[in-house]
Amino acid sequence: MATKLIDLSFTLNGRKVKVQIAPDTMLFSLLREQGCASVRCACETTNCGLCTVWLDGYPVLSCSVPAARVEGHTITTLEGLKAESEALARAMAAEGAEQCGFCAPGLIMNVLALARAAKEDPSLVATREELSRQLAGNLCRCSGYESQLRAIVRFLNESGVQVGFEMPELPVNDTSCDGVSYKQITHKQPKKDSKALLEGRPVYTGDMVPAGALIVKLKRSPYARAKIRSIDTSRALKVPGVVGVYTYEDVPKRRFTIAGQSYPQPSPYDRLILENLVRYQNEEVAIVAAETEEAADKALKLIKVDYEVLEPLLDFTKALDNDIVVHPEGDVTFMFPQGGDVPRNLVCSGASDFGDLDEAFAQSDIVFERTYTSQATQTAPMETFRAFATTDAFGRISVTTSTQVPFHVRRMVAQSLDIPQSQVQVIKPRIGGGFGSKQTGCCEIFVAFVTQQTGRPSYCCYTREETITAGNSRHQMQMTVKLGAMNDGTITAIDLHTLSNAGAYGEHATTTIGLSGHKSLPIYNHVKASRFSWDAVYTNTNRGGAYRGYGATQGQFAVESAVNELADMLHMDPADLRLKNIVREGEIMPQYYNEKLNACALDRCLLRAMDMIGWRDKPLAVDLGDRVRALGCALTMQGSGISNVDIAGIDMRLEEDGFITIGTGATDNGMGVDTILAQIAAEELGVESSLIVVRGVDTDLSPFDAGSYASSGTYVTGLAAKNAATELREKICAKAAQMWDVDAADVVFDGQYVRLSDERAAREQNRYLTLREFANLCVKNIAGGDALTSHASACLPVSPPPFMAGIAEVEVDKATGKVTVVDYAAAVDCGTVINEALARVQAEGGIAQGIGHALYEIVEHDDRGRLRTGNFMSYKLPTRLDIGSIRVAFEPSYEPTGPFGAKSIGEVVINTPLAAVASAVAHATGHQVRSLPITPEKALLGE
Ligand code: FES
Ligand code: FES
């Protein structure tokens, strides 16, 4: 029976709206239908705040308000507050606080409501606690909240609202150490997309879905391991509006990987689009394509799957040689050897060492061994996975998706459909956060398949629950560290073994586990010997994958914790012990691919962080009566791109009217790489970066780029941008020389004028053109003219490590064990800092994610392999109440292979809180927690 529609009339952003709606329509859906792109959803559980709008001037969560309730009322969204939101948007852009921008509209709606309330009652004073409490429902995964708070305080001050606190002074930084005074880099500049993001414009994948696109939904397995005996789709196919239902019998039988990595791919080819064996709970078993959501939902319920339920393999420490084989199919392949043995559940294994380890341990005064476990955690970008597919005039499949790796998605779509890559185009709009999860493919293969089958556009948008349960998480790892040292604190030997839980598929398993050792051991480069060995295993848990830090996070938790434990055993200051042992500039690093360390300010970072927190003036623990306040520290390093693998290209063109377009395949996930590339290119050309336009990624048009991962944006793509700019400048001079019939060496482009280098002669001979005049002559076919273009690519033989020191100051409640991070001081060496505001927000966001990992977040299964933490009610993301003050300083070094001396910053920033917080808790309670997260029980009672 057709649903009876009800009439609804209300006022939306000042205009009268009259519509007919189904009785169960929620306000959120209605507003999206009305074109309010600023209203977004990141949860289905009223936890995220992204859907905040005003109902008669008061903030409400539109996802929890039945649309019928707004009859006769007034609804305001960010689209209706353009003028009022401008000052706040400006303050946020100045801080770089908008990052991916996906959460910004919901936050702005709440802050503007607060400001209005405060203006009505001038006695209201905004305290830090009160502001954090009032805005705690507005989640942000990118920013770490600190930059947002700085912007909000500035806005409230400007608005005349009483603010009862001051934000901590930002550390004064040198952003470069080469003595050069730069014009475009080393300064704060707002992100190029900040206006669009802060106005809530329709710039994300979900805002661009073509009208009439089929809705794609997935039937998922309730079991962690099961054989599908049969699937009956007949009733589902009869639902009006259902266009197709597809099972394992309908898809190509060629295995592939959805790990977005360069070719040859290190991840095993171990999956099909659909299969008759289920390997984790919530794995896809059927695809539904329908004309409406309702029809798709109804069809999902009518698909009947007959399962033979099998016992799952859940404990990764028992996976190797277990009787249960996760991949018994016998046709999993690897593109190159990596020690995998699929019948043994082994994805990869190996070892690397140097020196005589037995001898080094034998000569040590102290030798001890500890085992540490880092849990699986969720990347949790606010924009869930989503993609749509269309066909073009040539019958090719075009996929628009929120991805970090468009070119790799092109390959995986082609592989999964068993068609040539030439038949696939991938387009990337703005991305609402990634943090590594969007380095792995997800729903792209389903929409591509449906569009291929039906010839119709199709759209798939994962719910939060699907994103958590069927997306990828950080690999759970167990690390055993054996450490040898002398009584004076000299570390002599380290033996690290890492066991990683790949989950049901091997995406990124080989490469993440490698980083657990290769980016933790080189920090203690002076040891006489070290060994790093590893095994990654399959289990029937949801799949592991890329997450910022990429294995280094886990490995450094183990090694840094062992170093902290050594210091405590020796009654040595843990910072002094580190200063005695850490790697220094100029050294060769045997456990880091034998690379030479050209640029390193790790010692300065540690000293700076100590200074910021007042390390020398405080005891490691102090009893405050009901709680203990304590300190802990940790160091970290990462890489800058993947040496000899990551490739980036930049196309540059001098356009009519004298502006410059940059084509890049790098994907801006919110960290601002588009702006960074513009700053680098502008610096090299000598122009204002406002003259540079950066084009988004389209694999048909953009130069090849491996994508945004492995901290490659600034270092690898940035170098390509610098080189392309050099080439363009040379071409400008050469073209002018040709026009004027002079030697190219006698022409300069100074950023404003193309002219003879002899300025007087230039004026006298009228050889003096503005860039605009010159560019316009170029496209007028003067001197065989054409728009000048340049292209450069970069692939570097090294991956220079950025470094960081982090110090946590925590309070542990003596009665409850609750751990609160009250202050976090960090100093970062990312080489030359291209844009201080964006670098700072990256660092603050990474630290907040690290604190979440240390204290709150965990992906948990029950004893049947069912996920217990499938939404934001059960998976605890830190709110702004859970993160104390975060302060970040920069200690630049100069990396000669990087653009203007820059290294990377994207990943290194997440790594220190795990070990630093654990050590601070140990100093407070005497319990060293070796298995994360540090729950109040573990803090209070030990493990
Ligand atoms: S979508 Fe409404 S609170 Fe998350
Ligand atoms: S900026 Fe808040 S979620 Fe990305």
Side-chain angles (χ1 to χ4, degrees):
M1 200 172 72
T3 312
K4 193 162 181 294
L5 300 180
I6 55 175
D7 293 324
L8 179 72
S9 69
F10 66 108
T11 304
L12 174 59
N13 296 329
R15 85 185 148 91
K16 293 273 178 222
V17 175
K18 281 187 188 229
V19 283
Q20 288 200 313
I21 58 165
D24 59 353
T25 305
M26 299 308 283
L27 180 58
F28 169 79
S29 310
L30 176 61
L31 294 176
R32 291 287 305 184
E33 278 165 24
Q34 290 293 314
C36 299
S38 71
V39 187
R40 302 188 183 125
C41 167
C43 73
E44 297 88 40
T45 49
T46 64
N47 291 104
C48 73
L50 268 72
C51 62
T52 303
V53 299
W54 291 355
L55 171 57
D56 295 336
Y58 292 96
V60 293
L61 297 175
S62 61
C63 70
S64 64
V65 176
R69 274 194 46 201
V70 307
E71 171 67 36
H73 291 274
T74 297
I75 298 295
T76 311
T77 69
L78 186 55
E79 284 84 354
L81 290 174
K82 256 199 178 134
E84 192 169 337
S85 64
E86 238 175 51
L88 176 56
R90 231 183 0 258
M92 287 182 71
E95 292 292 341
E98 74 279 23
Q99 288 272 289
C100 83
F102 207 69
C103 70
L107 176 71
I108 291 172
M109 294 304 291
N110 266 330
V111 174
L112 293 181
L114 275 174
R116 276 194 180 187
K119 277 181 195 157
E120 277 167 24
D121 180 358
S123 67
L124 286 179
V125 181
T127 64
R128 181 171 177 134
E129 294 66 32
E130 184 62 15
L131 272 180
S132 297
R133 198 181 59 73
Q134 298 249 20
L135 301 172
N138 290 98
L139 292 180
C140 174
R141 190 55 157 169
C142 299
S143 69
Y145 303 116
E146 203 70 3
S147 56
Q148 291 184 345
L149 195 55
R150 283 194 295 273
I152 292 166
V153 167
R154 185 192 297 192
F155 163 71
L156 292 178
N157 278 325
E158 285 172 8
S159 309
V161 174
Q162 287 196 67
V163 180
F165 69 102
E166 281 179 15
M167 291 298 289
E169 287 267 311
L170 289 182
V172 177
N173 291 304
D174 291 325
T175 44
S176 158
C177 65
D178 64 356
V180 178
S181 172
Y182 295 105
K183 290 205 173 101
Q184 300 300 324
I185 63 163
T186 71
H187 305 296
K188 298 176 182 178
Q189 286 195 12
K191 278 168 57 187
K192 284 195 162 281
D193 52 1
S194 61
K195 196 167 160 52
L197 300 185
L198 290 163
E199 287 182 356
R201 289 205 208 139
V203 292
Y204 302 94
T205 300
D207 303 325
M208 302 170 182
V209 182
L214 296 174
I215 301 298
V216 176
K217 295 213 174 194
L218 290 316
K219 176 85 175 171
R220 299 184 178 280
S221 164
Y223 306 110
R225 183 165 169 257
K227 185 116 184 107
I228 297 174
R229 292 196 192 99
S230 64
I231 305 185
D232 180 357
T233 60
S234 55
R235 290 181 66 210
L237 279 165
K238 285 187 191 135
V239 174
V242 168
V243 173
V245 181
Y246 309 95
T247 72
Y248 65 89
E249 291 176 338
D250 304 310
V251 299
K253 301 290 181 281
R254 178 182 164 194
R255 288 194 186 274
F256 60 96
T257 177
I258 57 171
Q261 296 175 289
S262 291
Y263 200 86
Q265 295 166 283
S267 293
Y269 282 15
D270 56 7
R271 66 160 63 232
L272 300 173
I273 299 177
L274 299 170
E275 206 170 342
N276 65 345
L277 180 65
V278 169
R279 297 188 180 83
Y280 66 96
Q281 187 222 2
N282 271 327
E283 182 159 16
E284 302 81 21
V285 297
I287 305 167
V288 170
E291 279 164 350
T292 62
E293 290 246 1
E294 296 70 32
D297 285 333
K298 197 165 177 194
L300 283 181
K301 289 188 192 132
L302 293 173
I303 298 171
K304 237 186 138 36
V305 186
D306 181 15
Y307 293 100
E308 177 191 346
V309 181
L310 304 169
E311 186 190 345
L313 173 54
L314 302 174
D315 184 346
F316 78 118
T317 65
K318 297 189 179 132
L320 194 57
D321 295 321
N322 198 292
D323 289 344
I324 299 170
V325 178
V326 176
H327 282 269
E329 58 270 21
D331 60 350
V332 173
T333 55
F334 295 85
M335 294 200 78
F336 50 85
Q338 46 198 263
D341 192 345
V342 177
R344 298 181 64 208
N345 290 324
L346 191 60
V347 185
C348 67
S349 63
S352 72
D353 58 8
F354 83 94
D356 185 336
L357 199 63
D358 292 339
E359 176 71 12
F361 279 129
Q363 290 182 1
S364 302
D365 293 332
I366 300 171
V367 176
F368 68 96
E369 186 176 295
R370 298 283 185 272
T371 296
Y372 303 88
T373 305
S374 174
Q375 78 281 31
T377 54
Q378 272 288 315
T379 52
M382 287 297 113
E383 182 195 30
T384 59
F385 294 108
R386 57 199 63 188
F388 65 84
T390 56
T391 48
D392 68 12
F394 309 100
R396 300 163 75 228
I397 305 280
S398 174
V399 179
T400 301
T401 176
S402 176
T403 180
Q404 297 171 230
V405 286
F407 285 92
H408 296 332
V409 168
R410 181 174 71 178
R411 185 198 313 123
M412 73 184 71
V413 166
Q415 285 178 339
S416 65
L417 301 185
D418 211 1
I419 58 175
Q421 283 198 51
S422 61
Q423 296 307 299
V424 182
Q425 174 194 29
V426 176
I427 296 168
K428 176 222 69 106
R430 305 322 292 175
I431 304 177
F435 318 115
S437 60
K438 292 173 183 172
Q439 192 195 340
T440 306
C442 204
C443 45
E444 296 92 348
I445 54 176
F446 302 118
V447 289
F449 177 76
V450 166
T451 293
Q452 184 198 44
Q453 296 297 308
T454 63
R456 295 174 63 174
S458 68
Y459 175 52
C460 182
C461 177
Y462 274 20
T463 61
R464 177 57 57 189
E465 186 172 350
E466 285 180 298
T467 297
I468 293 180
T469 58
N472 51 282
S473 54
R474 185 188 290 289
H475 291 94
Q476 178 186 25
M477 290 188 189
Q478 183 189 71
M479 292 139 297
T480 303
V481 184
K482 186 174 173 185
L483 199 142
M486 307 310 288
N487 285 330
D488 68 355
T490 304
I491 300 173
T492 51
I494 308 178
D495 188 6
L496 168 67
H497 178 263
T498 303
L499 175 68
S500 172
N501 182 6
Y505 293 95
E507 288 121 24
H508 299 280
T510 306
T511 34
T512 48
I513 201 170
L515 266 58
S516 72
H518 293 309
K519 294 198 174 154
S520 58
L521 298 179
I523 293 172
Y524 302 100
N525 197 45
H526 303 164
V527 292
K528 291 182 182 147
S530 75
R531 177 170 57 193
F532 167 44
S533 55
W534 62 89
D535 300 287
V537 290
Y538 285 117
T539 62
N540 293 116
T541 57
N542 63 324
R543 56 200 175 83
Y547 183 178
R548 193 180 205 173
Y550 203 78
T553 314
Q554 296 96 308
Q556 287 168 7
F557 164 59
V559 172
E560 289 300 300
S561 291
V563 170
N564 282 328
E565 292 203 54
L566 173 67
D568 293 345
M569 268 179 226
L570 292 172
H571 303 292
M572 271 187 81
D573 181 299
D576 287 337
L577 185 139
R578 285 180 165 83
L579 288 168
K580 194 179 177 75
N581 286 286
I582 53 177
V583 67
R584 306 276 167 163
E585 199 161 280
E587 293 178 12
I588 303 286
M589 298 175 288
Q591 285 287 22
Y592 193 67
Y593 325 112
N594 277 317
E595 274 191 26
K596 184 177 175 198
L597 188 54
N598 291 322
C600 173
L602 182 57
D603 51 348
R604 282 193 276 128
C605 286
L606 180 52
L607 291 167
R608 181 83 183 268
M610 290 164 69
D611 193 42
M612 287 161 72
I613 207 108
W615 180 274
R616 295 286 186 213
D617 307 325
K618 295 176 181 173
L620 286 181
V622 54
D623 194 328
L624 300 176
D626 57 345
R627 68 220 131 90
V628 181
R629 189 178 268 236
L631 297 171
C633 70
L635 304 179
T636 178
M637 61 177 271
Q638 197 80 31
S640 300
I642 306 172
S643 50
N644 294 313
V645 172
D646 278 342
I647 292 174
I650 289 283
D651 289 337
M652 218 169 266
R653 190 167 64 209
L654 177 61
E655 307 279 359
E656 182 176 3
D657 233 17
F659 71 100
I660 293 148
T661 51
I662 290 184
T664 173
T667 55
D668 193 331
N669 314 322
M671 71 294 212
V673 71
D674 287 350
T675 307
I676 297 285
L677 295 178
Q679 285 183 268
I680 289 173
E683 185 68 50
E684 182 63 16
L685 284 162
V687 302
E688 292 292 323
S689 60
S690 56
L691 271 191
I692 311 262
V693 173
V694 183
R695 296 196 304 265
V697 186
D698 173 339
T699 55
D700 278 1
L701 304 172
S702 305
F704 183 84
D705 192 292
S708 288
Y709 59 90
S711 303
S712 59
T714 300
Y715 178 71
V716 185
T717 315
L719 189 63
K722 182 171 186 287
N723 292 343
T726 308
E727 186 187 320
L728 186 62
R729 196 185 52 229
E730 287 167 1
K731 284 190 169 175
I732 289 171
C733 294
K735 175 60 73 181
Q738 188 190 355
M739 285 178 190
W740 296 330
D741 198 17
V742 298
D743 203 291
D746 294 330
V747 178
V748 292
F749 170 52
D750 63 10
Q752 277 189 293
Y753 295 99
V754 185
R755 59 176 171 84
L756 292 181
S757 43
D758 179 339
E759 195 160 351
R760 205 165 127 201
R763 288 191 187 280
E764 284 170 5
Q765 297 170 33
N766 204 17
R767 301 287 191 250
Y768 207 108
L769 294 169
T770 64
L771 182 61
R772 184 176 179 208
E773 290 164 338
F774 173 78
N776 289 346
L777 284 179
C778 284
V779 295
K780 278 190 186 153
N781 201 21
I782 297 220
D786 189 4
L788 292 185
T789 60
S790 68
H791 172 83
S793 63
C795 179
L796 290 118
V798 291
S799 175
F803 293 95
M804 177 167 168
I807 299 182
E809 186 160 23
V810 308
E811 285 183 1
V812 185
D813 187 298
K814 283 183 179 173
T816 64
K818 181 173 169 18
V819 179
T820 308
V821 178
V822 290
D823 196 9
Y824 202 96
V828 186
D829 163 20
C830 56
T832 300
V833 185
I834 302 291
N835 184 323
E836 189 183 339
L838 299 186
R840 170 167 285 106
V841 182
Q842 284 259 29
E844 291 169 349
I847 290 167
Q849 289 177 335
I851 291 171
H853 189 134
L855 293 177
Y856 308 114
E857 298 180 41
I858 182 167
V859 174
E860 279 187 303
H861 299 86
D862 69 12
D863 59 3
R864 301 306 304 155
R866 290 172 299 216
L867 207 65
R868 284 195 175 124
T869 49
N871 55 46
F872 282 166
M873 300 285 264
S874 49
Y875 187 86
K876 165 70 179 159
L877 274 193
T879 71
R880 59 194 81 223
L881 285 172
D882 302 311
I883 306 289
S885 157
I886 297 174
R887 293 176 294 137
V888 175
F890 296 98
E891 283 293 333
S893 58
Y894 189 88
E895 171 53 48
T897 62
F900 300 105
K903 299 190 279 189
S904 74
I905 191 167
E907 293 180 281
V908 71
V909 291
I910 198 172
N911 296 332
T912 57
L914 286 62
V917 172
S919 178
V921 170
H923 292 145
T925 65
H927 298 128
Q928 175 74 42
V929 178
R930 301 190 186 95
S931 173
L932 298 175
I934 305 167
T935 59
E937 295 78 21
K938 292 183 200 170
L940 207 56
L941 307 171
E943 292 172 285

